[in-house]
Amino acid sequence: MYNMTTFNIQTNVPSRHLSDTTPLIKLFRVSKFYKPENPALFDVSFDIDPGDFLYIAGASGAGKSTLLKLLHLGEQPDTGTIQFNGHDVSSLKPSAISVLRRSMGIIFQDFKLIDDLSVAANIGLSLEVIGVSPAFIHQRVGEVLEEVGLPGIEDEMAGSLSGGEQQRVAIARALAPNPQLILADEPTGSLDTYSANFVLDMLESINERGATVIVATHDRMLMAARPHRTLALENGKLVGFSRKGAFKSRDTKFSNSAEAI
Amino acid sequence: MMEPMQGKTIFRVAHILLRAVSGFRRRPWLHAVSLFTLAAAFLSFAATLTVALNLNHLIGGWVGNSEMTVYLKDDTSDAEITQLKNAVRAIDGVQKVQVTTKARAREKFAKDLGAYGDIGSTLPKSAFPASLDIYLSDQLSRDRDSRHQLAARLSKVNMIDEVELYDDWFERLSAMSTMGRTAAWGLGLLAAVVAILVVAATVRTGVSARRKEISVMRFVGATQAYVRLPFLIEGAVEATLAMLLALLSLHYLMNHVDSVLGSIMPLLGGGSIIRLQSTILFSLIVGGFLAGLLGARLSLRKLEEA
């Protein structure tokens, strides 16, 4: 059995950035238990440098969503530590967590748009909480809609859009406050191939402009078509890693998965 | 590296206020129903309070001016009246004695009856006897037996026709006044409970309808205060508006009551109808605001747990 406690992904998987850069996110021996006998995450350690594009891969129930929740500070780990820009966030007050979340954008498989609000109001939510002026919100909403290829739909109701359009609006909402980090939970899961490719193009474009992007996915085709650094989870354990597409793992199942990719 | 945006508190406050306003705009009928329900509860409280205050005022008018009145026989001379006044004033426990001559009694009758004052001219001379209004010390006022002993002593004096003690009236009116005050406080308590429950139900409906929005707001970095404040403002503003509506309705109601009962009140000895003083009005508005705030706060308990 692979000994996870000796697994040091930072030394084994250097990011594409210089090694002396302070990691944007550092997880050290993080575990999360919803049931004592069945950890959602167990002894996971890795670093994410600023500007990384990272897949978190794994089947349903592998722990991807739990890991994203921890990264988004929606939950606290039961053991281990999580650092953002070198600061331990485990003891942050709720208000400080809210402030930290403003530097992250989050994208969901089910978009999480408010159907009875306009597109502008949906995108504006992420700017309102920061406290920018209504005039700036109006301007910025126009800009991000342009970026996601949906100019001029500010006044349409979110519920009236197609799935692909809704996901692009969700990306626009995540993009609006210029986040340092984008977390995407199965962002292409509900989309057709064309829309999925568009969404991935968007995420890569955001990443090229300097934002760190973390995508949780179980879609091997997607990872094969657009290779990026990948962490693989299985039953809550980190079982493998790769640079762009080249997996390394001592775990048989994961090796098989990696070959498939 | 992308630079995160910086905001300003003033815009954050503006967005919170706009969110509270949008709560009213997005569910106008629900808020209208709540507003009128609250206003009805507040109006019944304020109206009962007004009635209680008027009862107190009326009773004060009847018994506060003179605690004992001695009516003199028709043939009593002015010299005898003065002599009697001095004798009564010398009694232990009597604070003041005020003489009302026959002429003054007729004038007072005409003045008190206002528009109906002419009735006095049709009445016989004996209908307006001279009298002495006797004001007692607090100690004697409180001692029912001593007052009755004094009345008995006075009634034996030759020139005195009748002694009026007001005891029965006072006791009945005091009971009515106490009942009025109790009813006002009871309704006040009921109105407060109704306000809290109605606001809590309204805000809870809003929270429930906006649950997804609230969860998205948290994802994008809204603080607990940012999420809760619009609902608290919504509840407090709604209850305050309802109280203002209730007080405005009471004002018009009192105008109507004044036009109907205003001329009768002097006949009852209470002067004009009194209205809620500005300090009471202010307290009621603050009370409405607090009840709304408390109702909204209660409905947000589950939001905190979520």
Side-chain angles (χ1 to χ4, degrees), chain B residues 218-251:
Chain B
R218 285 188 170 154
F219 281 130
V220 298
T223 57
Q224 184 84 295
Y226 190 91
V227 171
R228 286 173 50 201
L229 274 171
F231 292 110
L232 291 173
I233 293 170
E234 218 175 295
V237 167
E238 183 158 274
T240 308
L241 285 177
M243 183 59 87
L244 289 171
L245 184 64
L247 295 178
L248 193 68
S249 307
L250 183 67
H251 173 74

PDB file of all heavy atoms in Angstrom, chain B residues 218-251:
ATOM      1  N   ARG B 218     -22.781  34.276  -0.441  1.00  0.00           N
ATOM      2  CA  ARG B 218     -21.707  33.797   0.456  1.00  0.00           C
ATOM      3  C   ARG B 218     -20.527  33.260  -0.343  1.00  0.00           C
ATOM      4  O   ARG B 218     -19.379  33.473   0.030  1.00  0.00           O
ATOM      5  CB  ARG B 218     -22.259  32.738   1.392  1.00  0.00           C
ATOM      6  CG  ARG B 218     -23.096  33.380   2.465  1.00  0.00           C
ATOM      7  CD  ARG B 218     -23.495  32.388   3.495  1.00  0.00           C
ATOM      8  NE  ARG B 218     -24.086  33.071   4.624  1.00  0.00           N
ATOM      9  CZ  ARG B 218     -24.955  32.528   5.447  1.00  0.00           C
ATOM     10  NH1 ARG B 218     -25.315  31.274   5.277  1.00  0.00           N
ATOM     11  NH2 ARG B 218     -25.442  33.205   6.444  1.00  0.00           N
ATOM     12  N   PHE B 219     -20.834  32.575  -1.448  1.00  0.00           N
ATOM     13  CA  PHE B 219     -19.750  32.052  -2.285  1.00  0.00           C
ATOM     14  C   PHE B 219     -18.878  33.174  -2.820  1.00  0.00           C
ATOM     15  O   PHE B 219     -17.680  33.006  -2.980  1.00  0.00           O
ATOM     16  CB  PHE B 219     -20.324  31.260  -3.478  1.00  0.00           C
ATOM     17  CG  PHE B 219     -20.773  29.879  -3.134  1.00  0.00           C
ATOM     18  CD1 PHE B 219     -22.025  29.419  -3.492  1.00  0.00           C
ATOM     19  CD2 PHE B 219     -19.924  29.008  -2.461  1.00  0.00           C
ATOM     20  CE1 PHE B 219     -22.449  28.142  -3.176  1.00  0.00           C
ATOM     21  CE2 PHE B 219     -20.334  27.726  -2.133  1.00  0.00           C
ATOM     22  CZ  PHE B 219     -21.592  27.291  -2.497  1.00  0.00           C
ATOM     23  N   VAL B 220     -19.522  34.303  -3.144  1.00  0.00           N
ATOM     24  CA  VAL B 220     -18.745  35.381  -3.754  1.00  0.00           C
ATOM     25  C   VAL B 220     -18.167  36.350  -2.710  1.00  0.00           C
ATOM     26  O   VAL B 220     -17.611  37.373  -3.073  1.00  0.00           O
ATOM     27  CB  VAL B 220     -19.563  36.146  -4.819  1.00  0.00           C
ATOM     28  CG1 VAL B 220     -19.957  35.233  -5.955  1.00  0.00           C
ATOM     29  CG2 VAL B 220     -20.782  36.824  -4.216  1.00  0.00           C
ATOM     30  N   GLY B 221     -18.319  36.011  -1.439  1.00  0.00           N
ATOM     31  CA  GLY B 221     -17.604  36.771  -0.410  1.00  0.00           C
ATOM     32  C   GLY B 221     -18.441  37.716   0.425  1.00  0.00           C
ATOM     33  O   GLY B 221     -17.889  38.633   1.045  1.00  0.00           O
ATOM     34  N   ALA B 222     -19.769  37.503   0.460  1.00  0.00           N
ATOM     35  CA  ALA B 222     -20.595  38.354   1.324  1.00  0.00           C
ATOM     36  C   ALA B 222     -20.399  37.949   2.781  1.00  0.00           C
ATOM     37  O   ALA B 222     -20.380  36.757   3.088  1.00  0.00           O
ATOM     38  CB  ALA B 222     -22.059  38.218   0.939  1.00  0.00           C
ATOM     39  N   THR B 223     -20.256  38.931   3.645  1.00  0.00           N
ATOM     40  CA  THR B 223     -20.135  38.628   5.075  1.00  0.00           C
ATOM     41  C   THR B 223     -21.526  38.323   5.633  1.00  0.00           C
ATOM     42  O   THR B 223     -22.545  38.633   4.998  1.00  0.00           O
ATOM     43  CB  THR B 223     -19.556  39.823   5.853  1.00  0.00           C
ATOM     44  OG1 THR B 223     -20.410  40.940   5.617  1.00  0.00           O
ATOM     45  CG2 THR B 223     -18.143  40.159   5.415  1.00  0.00           C
ATOM     46  N   GLN B 224     -21.522  37.763   6.850  1.00  0.00           N
ATOM     47  CA  GLN B 224     -22.793  37.472   7.535  1.00  0.00           C
ATOM     48  C   GLN B 224     -23.627  38.756   7.654  1.00  0.00           C
ATOM     49  O   GLN B 224     -24.828  38.749   7.406  1.00  0.00           O
ATOM     50  CB  GLN B 224     -22.454  36.924   8.933  1.00  0.00           C
ATOM     51  CG  GLN B 224     -23.645  36.482   9.719  1.00  0.00           C
ATOM     52  CD  GLN B 224     -24.053  35.067   9.368  1.00  0.00           C
ATOM     53  OE1 GLN B 224     -24.469  34.795   8.252  1.00  0.00           O
ATOM     54  NE2 GLN B 224     -23.940  34.173  10.323  1.00  0.00           N
ATOM     55  N   ALA B 225     -22.965  39.847   8.022  1.00  0.00           N
ATOM     56  CA  ALA B 225     -23.671  41.123   8.202  1.00  0.00           C
ATOM     57  C   ALA B 225     -24.259  41.595   6.877  1.00  0.00           C
ATOM     58  O   ALA B 225     -25.391  42.085   6.827  1.00  0.00           O
ATOM     59  CB  ALA B 225     -22.724  42.173   8.756  1.00  0.00           C
ATOM     60  N   TYR B 226     -23.504  41.440   5.800  1.00  0.00           N
ATOM     61  CA  TYR B 226     -23.972  41.886   4.490  1.00  0.00           C
ATOM     62  C   TYR B 226     -25.226  41.125   4.070  1.00  0.00           C
ATOM     63  O   TYR B 226     -26.135  41.687   3.461  1.00  0.00           O
ATOM     64  CB  TYR B 226     -22.865  41.686   3.448  1.00  0.00           C
ATOM     65  CG  TYR B 226     -23.156  42.341   2.124  1.00  0.00           C
ATOM     66  CD1 TYR B 226     -22.740  43.643   1.865  1.00  0.00           C
ATOM     67  CD2 TYR B 226     -23.859  41.676   1.132  1.00  0.00           C
ATOM     68  CE1 TYR B 226     -23.026  44.260   0.663  1.00  0.00           C
ATOM     69  CE2 TYR B 226     -24.143  42.281  -0.078  1.00  0.00           C
ATOM     70  CZ  TYR B 226     -23.719  43.571  -0.309  1.00  0.00           C
ATOM     71  OH  TYR B 226     -24.006  44.172  -1.497  1.00  0.00           O
ATOM     72  N   VAL B 227     -25.261  39.835   4.420  1.00  0.00           N
ATOM     73  CA  VAL B 227     -26.422  39.014   4.065  1.00  0.00           C
ATOM     74  C   VAL B 227     -27.617  39.378   4.954  1.00  0.00           C
ATOM     75  O   VAL B 227     -28.748  39.492   4.486  1.00  0.00           O
ATOM     76  CB  VAL B 227     -26.083  37.508   4.214  1.00  0.00           C
ATOM     77  CG1 VAL B 227     -27.330  36.649   4.059  1.00  0.00           C
ATOM     78  CG2 VAL B 227     -25.038  37.105   3.189  1.00  0.00           C
ATOM     79  N   ARG B 228     -27.356  39.588   6.251  1.00  0.00           N
ATOM     80  CA  ARG B 228     -28.456  39.755   7.214  1.00  0.00           C
ATOM     81  C   ARG B 228     -29.044  41.163   7.244  1.00  0.00           C
ATOM     82  O   ARG B 228     -30.248  41.333   7.427  1.00  0.00           O
ATOM     83  CB  ARG B 228     -27.956  39.409   8.626  1.00  0.00           C
ATOM     84  CG  ARG B 228     -27.772  37.925   8.832  1.00  0.00           C
ATOM     85  CD  ARG B 228     -27.132  37.663  10.165  1.00  0.00           C
ATOM     86  NE  ARG B 228     -27.820  38.379  11.229  1.00  0.00           N
ATOM     87  CZ  ARG B 228     -27.292  38.673  12.400  1.00  0.00           C
ATOM     88  NH1 ARG B 228     -26.061  38.325  12.666  1.00  0.00           N
ATOM     89  NH2 ARG B 228     -27.978  39.304  13.311  1.00  0.00           N
ATOM     90  N   LEU B 229     -28.181  42.174   7.084  1.00  0.00           N
ATOM     91  CA  LEU B 229     -28.650  43.565   7.260  1.00  0.00           C
ATOM     92  C   LEU B 229     -29.853  43.949   6.390  1.00  0.00           C
ATOM     93  O   LEU B 229     -30.798  44.568   6.904  1.00  0.00           O
ATOM     94  CB  LEU B 229     -27.492  44.540   7.047  1.00  0.00           C
ATOM     95  CG  LEU B 229     -26.656  44.799   8.294  1.00  0.00           C
ATOM     96  CD1 LEU B 229     -25.406  45.609   7.956  1.00  0.00           C
ATOM     97  CD2 LEU B 229     -27.459  45.536   9.360  1.00  0.00           C
ATOM     98  N   PRO B 230     -29.872  43.580   5.094  1.00  0.00           N
ATOM     99  CA  PRO B 230     -31.054  43.967   4.304  1.00  0.00           C
ATOM    100  C   PRO B 230     -32.352  43.407   4.883  1.00  0.00           C
ATOM    101  O   PRO B 230     -33.377  44.097   4.876  1.00  0.00           O
ATOM    102  CB  PRO B 230     -30.776  43.354   2.925  1.00  0.00           C
ATOM    103  CG  PRO B 230     -29.301  43.230   2.852  1.00  0.00           C
ATOM    104  CD  PRO B 230     -28.855  42.929   4.253  1.00  0.00           C
ATOM    105  N   PHE B 231     -32.315  42.192   5.422  1.00  0.00           N
ATOM    106  CA  PHE B 231     -33.525  41.599   5.997  1.00  0.00           C
ATOM    107  C   PHE B 231     -33.915  42.318   7.296  1.00  0.00           C
ATOM    108  O   PHE B 231     -35.098  42.533   7.559  1.00  0.00           O
ATOM    109  CB  PHE B 231     -33.317  40.107   6.272  1.00  0.00           C
ATOM    110  CG  PHE B 231     -33.181  39.291   5.014  1.00  0.00           C
ATOM    111  CD1 PHE B 231     -31.975  38.730   4.669  1.00  0.00           C
ATOM    112  CD2 PHE B 231     -34.265  39.114   4.172  1.00  0.00           C
ATOM    113  CE1 PHE B 231     -31.843  37.988   3.510  1.00  0.00           C
ATOM    114  CE2 PHE B 231     -34.150  38.372   3.008  1.00  0.00           C
ATOM    115  CZ  PHE B 231     -32.934  37.806   2.675  1.00  0.00           C
ATOM    116  N   LEU B 232     -32.925  42.676   8.095  1.00  0.00           N
ATOM    117  CA  LEU B 232     -33.209  43.406   9.341  1.00  0.00           C
ATOM    118  C   LEU B 232     -33.813  44.776   9.018  1.00  0.00           C
ATOM    119  O   LEU B 232     -34.781  45.204   9.654  1.00  0.00           O
ATOM    120  CB  LEU B 232     -31.926  43.580  10.167  1.00  0.00           C
ATOM    121  CG  LEU B 232     -31.341  42.299  10.785  1.00  0.00           C
ATOM    122  CD1 LEU B 232     -29.986  42.576  11.428  1.00  0.00           C
ATOM    123  CD2 LEU B 232     -32.290  41.715  11.818  1.00  0.00           C
ATOM    124  N   ILE B 233     -33.239  45.433   8.021  1.00  0.00           N
ATOM    125  CA  ILE B 233     -33.758  46.749   7.611  1.00  0.00           C
ATOM    126  C   ILE B 233     -35.190  46.593   7.102  1.00  0.00           C
ATOM    127  O   ILE B 233     -36.084  47.373   7.457  1.00  0.00           O
ATOM    128  CB  ILE B 233     -32.851  47.382   6.524  1.00  0.00           C
ATOM    129  CG1 ILE B 233     -31.485  47.727   7.122  1.00  0.00           C
ATOM    130  CG2 ILE B 233     -33.504  48.623   5.918  1.00  0.00           C
ATOM    131  CD1 ILE B 233     -30.437  48.127   6.098  1.00  0.00           C
ATOM    132  N   GLU B 234     -35.397  45.537   6.293  1.00  0.00           N
ATOM    133  CA  GLU B 234     -36.725  45.270   5.736  1.00  0.00           C
ATOM    134  C   GLU B 234     -37.763  45.136   6.858  1.00  0.00           C
ATOM    135  O   GLU B 234     -38.824  45.765   6.814  1.00  0.00           O
ATOM    136  CB  GLU B 234     -36.644  43.955   4.957  1.00  0.00           C
ATOM    137  CG  GLU B 234     -37.430  43.917   3.684  1.00  0.00           C
ATOM    138  CD  GLU B 234     -37.175  42.616   2.927  1.00  0.00           C
ATOM    139  OE1 GLU B 234     -36.029  42.408   2.485  1.00  0.00           O
ATOM    140  OE2 GLU B 234     -38.109  41.811   2.797  1.00  0.00           O
ATOM    141  N   GLY B 235     -37.444  44.349   7.871  1.00  0.00           N
ATOM    142  CA  GLY B 235     -38.370  44.114   8.988  1.00  0.00           C
ATOM    143  C   GLY B 235     -38.625  45.379   9.785  1.00  0.00           C
ATOM    144  O   GLY B 235     -39.771  45.725  10.093  1.00  0.00           O
ATOM    145  N   ALA B 236     -37.548  46.099  10.100  1.00  0.00           N
ATOM    146  CA  ALA B 236     -37.675  47.304  10.920  1.00  0.00           C
ATOM    147  C   ALA B 236     -38.440  48.392  10.181  1.00  0.00           C
ATOM    148  O   ALA B 236     -39.313  49.062  10.754  1.00  0.00           O
ATOM    149  CB  ALA B 236     -36.284  47.810  11.316  1.00  0.00           C
ATOM    150  N   VAL B 237     -38.142  48.560   8.897  1.00  0.00           N
ATOM    151  CA  VAL B 237     -38.818  49.602   8.106  1.00  0.00           C
ATOM    152  C   VAL B 237     -40.304  49.261   7.966  1.00  0.00           C
ATOM    153  O   VAL B 237     -41.168  50.138   8.111  1.00  0.00           O
ATOM    154  CB  VAL B 237     -38.154  49.746   6.710  1.00  0.00           C
ATOM    155  CG1 VAL B 237     -39.020  50.562   5.771  1.00  0.00           C
ATOM    156  CG2 VAL B 237     -36.790  50.408   6.855  1.00  0.00           C
ATOM    157  N   GLU B 238     -40.587  47.980   7.726  1.00  0.00           N
ATOM    158  CA  GLU B 238     -41.989  47.584   7.550  1.00  0.00           C
ATOM    159  C   GLU B 238     -42.810  47.883   8.809  1.00  0.00           C
ATOM    160  O   GLU B 238     -43.894  48.450   8.728  1.00  0.00           O
ATOM    161  CB  GLU B 238     -42.067  46.099   7.225  1.00  0.00           C
ATOM    162  CG  GLU B 238     -43.475  45.646   6.974  1.00  0.00           C
ATOM    163  CD  GLU B 238     -43.520  44.376   6.169  1.00  0.00           C
ATOM    164  OE1 GLU B 238     -43.475  44.481   4.943  1.00  0.00           O
ATOM    165  OE2 GLU B 238     -43.554  43.300   6.773  1.00  0.00           O
ATOM    166  N   ALA B 239     -42.264  47.507   9.976  1.00  0.00           N
ATOM    167  CA  ALA B 239     -43.001  47.730  11.228  1.00  0.00           C
ATOM    168  C   ALA B 239     -43.115  49.224  11.533  1.00  0.00           C
ATOM    169  O   ALA B 239     -44.146  49.688  12.027  1.00  0.00           O
ATOM    170  CB  ALA B 239     -42.319  46.993  12.369  1.00  0.00           C
ATOM    171  N   THR B 240     -42.084  49.992  11.215  1.00  0.00           N
ATOM    172  CA  THR B 240     -42.137  51.439  11.457  1.00  0.00           C
ATOM    173  C   THR B 240     -43.183  52.090  10.552  1.00  0.00           C
ATOM    174  O   THR B 240     -43.978  52.926  10.999  1.00  0.00           O
ATOM    175  CB  THR B 240     -40.750  52.080  11.203  1.00  0.00           C
ATOM    176  OG1 THR B 240     -39.783  51.355  11.955  1.00  0.00           O
ATOM    177  CG2 THR B 240     -40.717  53.529  11.626  1.00  0.00           C
ATOM    178  N   LEU B 241     -43.187  51.682   9.283  1.00  0.00           N
ATOM    179  CA  LEU B 241     -44.193  52.225   8.354  1.00  0.00           C
ATOM    180  C   LEU B 241     -45.596  51.861   8.829  1.00  0.00           C
ATOM    181  O   LEU B 241     -46.519  52.682   8.753  1.00  0.00           O
ATOM    182  CB  LEU B 241     -43.966  51.663   6.945  1.00  0.00           C
ATOM    183  CG  LEU B 241     -42.787  52.237   6.169  1.00  0.00           C
ATOM    184  CD1 LEU B 241     -42.641  51.535   4.818  1.00  0.00           C
ATOM    185  CD2 LEU B 241     -42.966  53.732   5.936  1.00  0.00           C
ATOM    186  N   ALA B 242     -45.752  50.622   9.318  1.00  0.00           N
ATOM    187  CA  ALA B 242     -47.065  50.180   9.802  1.00  0.00           C
ATOM    188  C   ALA B 242     -47.495  51.028  10.996  1.00  0.00           C
ATOM    189  O   ALA B 242     -48.662  51.426  11.095  1.00  0.00           O
ATOM    190  CB  ALA B 242     -47.005  48.704  10.180  1.00  0.00           C
ATOM    191  N   MET B 243     -46.559  51.349  11.882  1.00  0.00           N
ATOM    192  CA  MET B 243     -46.888  52.176  13.048  1.00  0.00           C
ATOM    193  C   MET B 243     -47.279  53.589  12.596  1.00  0.00           C
ATOM    194  O   MET B 243     -48.246  54.162  13.100  1.00  0.00           O
ATOM    195  CB  MET B 243     -45.693  52.213  14.014  1.00  0.00           C
ATOM    196  CG  MET B 243     -45.950  52.983  15.278  1.00  0.00           C
ATOM    197  SD  MET B 243     -47.339  52.331  16.247  1.00  0.00           S
ATOM    198  CE  MET B 243     -46.511  51.092  17.236  1.00  0.00           C
ATOM    199  N   LEU B 244     -46.539  54.133  11.628  1.00  0.00           N
ATOM    200  CA  LEU B 244     -46.868  55.470  11.117  1.00  0.00           C
ATOM    201  C   LEU B 244     -48.255  55.468  10.482  1.00  0.00           C
ATOM    202  O   LEU B 244     -49.047  56.402  10.677  1.00  0.00           O
ATOM    203  CB  LEU B 244     -45.816  55.927  10.099  1.00  0.00           C
ATOM    204  CG  LEU B 244     -44.448  56.273  10.687  1.00  0.00           C
ATOM    205  CD1 LEU B 244     -43.427  56.496   9.576  1.00  0.00           C
ATOM    206  CD2 LEU B 244     -44.524  57.513  11.571  1.00  0.00           C
ATOM    207  N   LEU B 245     -48.549  54.399   9.744  1.00  0.00           N
ATOM    208  CA  LEU B 245     -49.863  54.271   9.115  1.00  0.00           C
ATOM    209  C   LEU B 245     -50.953  54.190  10.186  1.00  0.00           C
ATOM    210  O   LEU B 245     -52.010  54.823  10.067  1.00  0.00           O
ATOM    211  CB  LEU B 245     -49.878  53.015   8.233  1.00  0.00           C
ATOM    212  CG  LEU B 245     -51.142  52.756   7.416  1.00  0.00           C
ATOM    213  CD1 LEU B 245     -51.356  53.867   6.395  1.00  0.00           C
ATOM    214  CD2 LEU B 245     -51.043  51.411   6.687  1.00  0.00           C
ATOM    215  N   ALA B 246     -50.676  53.431  11.252  1.00  0.00           N
ATOM    216  CA  ALA B 246     -51.643  53.289  12.350  1.00  0.00           C
ATOM    217  C   ALA B 246     -51.879  54.636  13.027  1.00  0.00           C
ATOM    218  O   ALA B 246     -53.025  55.003  13.313  1.00  0.00           O
ATOM    219  CB  ALA B 246     -51.127  52.263  13.354  1.00  0.00           C
ATOM    220  N   LEU B 247     -50.818  55.395  13.263  1.00  0.00           N
ATOM    221  CA  LEU B 247     -50.954  56.684  13.957  1.00  0.00           C
ATOM    222  C   LEU B 247     -51.670  57.720  13.070  1.00  0.00           C
ATOM    223  O   LEU B 247     -52.440  58.535  13.567  1.00  0.00           O
ATOM    224  CB  LEU B 247     -49.585  57.195  14.404  1.00  0.00           C
ATOM    225  CG  LEU B 247     -48.897  56.314  15.463  1.00  0.00           C
ATOM    226  CD1 LEU B 247     -47.522  56.870  15.827  1.00  0.00           C
ATOM    227  CD2 LEU B 247     -49.754  56.175  16.720  1.00  0.00           C
ATOM    228  N   LEU B 248     -51.397  57.634  11.769  1.00  0.00           N
ATOM    229  CA  LEU B 248     -52.088  58.525  10.834  1.00  0.00           C
ATOM    230  C   LEU B 248     -53.584  58.185  10.823  1.00  0.00           C
ATOM    231  O   LEU B 248     -54.432  59.095  10.855  1.00  0.00           O
ATOM    232  CB  LEU B 248     -51.495  58.339   9.431  1.00  0.00           C
ATOM    233  CG  LEU B 248     -51.865  59.389   8.390  1.00  0.00           C
ATOM    234  CD1 LEU B 248     -51.239  60.727   8.739  1.00  0.00           C
ATOM    235  CD2 LEU B 248     -51.405  58.954   7.000  1.00  0.00           C
ATOM    236  N   SER B 249     -53.882  56.881  10.804  1.00  0.00           N
ATOM    237  CA  SER B 249     -55.293  56.457  10.833  1.00  0.00           C
ATOM    238  C   SER B 249     -55.943  56.917  12.125  1.00  0.00           C
ATOM    239  O   SER B 249     -57.093  57.374  12.132  1.00  0.00           O
ATOM    240  CB  SER B 249     -55.403  54.933  10.733  1.00  0.00           C
ATOM    241  OG  SER B 249     -54.704  54.480   9.621  1.00  0.00           O
ATOM    242  N   LEU B 250     -55.216  56.815  13.234  1.00  0.00           N
ATOM    243  CA  LEU B 250     -55.749  57.239  14.535  1.00  0.00           C
ATOM    244  C   LEU B 250     -56.039  58.744  14.529  1.00  0.00           C
ATOM    245  O   LEU B 250     -57.053  59.188  15.071  1.00  0.00           O
ATOM    246  CB  LEU B 250     -54.748  56.887  15.650  1.00  0.00           C
ATOM    247  CG  LEU B 250     -55.211  57.204  17.062  1.00  0.00           C
ATOM    248  CD1 LEU B 250     -56.376  56.311  17.463  1.00  0.00           C
ATOM    249  CD2 LEU B 250     -54.073  57.024  18.064  1.00  0.00           C
ATOM    250  N   HIS B 251     -55.141  59.487  13.884  1.00  0.00           N
ATOM    251  CA  HIS B 251     -55.319  60.939  13.803  1.00  0.00           C
ATOM    252  C   HIS B 251     -56.654  61.265  13.124  1.00  0.00           C
ATOM    253  O   HIS B 251     -57.446  62.070  13.632  1.00  0.00           O
ATOM    254  CB  HIS B 251     -54.144  61.544  13.021  1.00  0.00           C
ATOM    255  CG  HIS B 251     -54.299  62.999  12.733  1.00  0.00           C
ATOM    256  ND1 HIS B 251     -54.147  63.962  13.705  1.00  0.00           N
ATOM    257  CD2 HIS B 251     -54.613  63.652  11.593  1.00  0.00           C
ATOM    258  CE1 HIS B 251     -54.353  65.150  13.171  1.00  0.00           C
ATOM    259  NE2 HIS B 251     -54.639  64.987  11.888  1.00  0.00           N
TER     260      HIS B 251
END
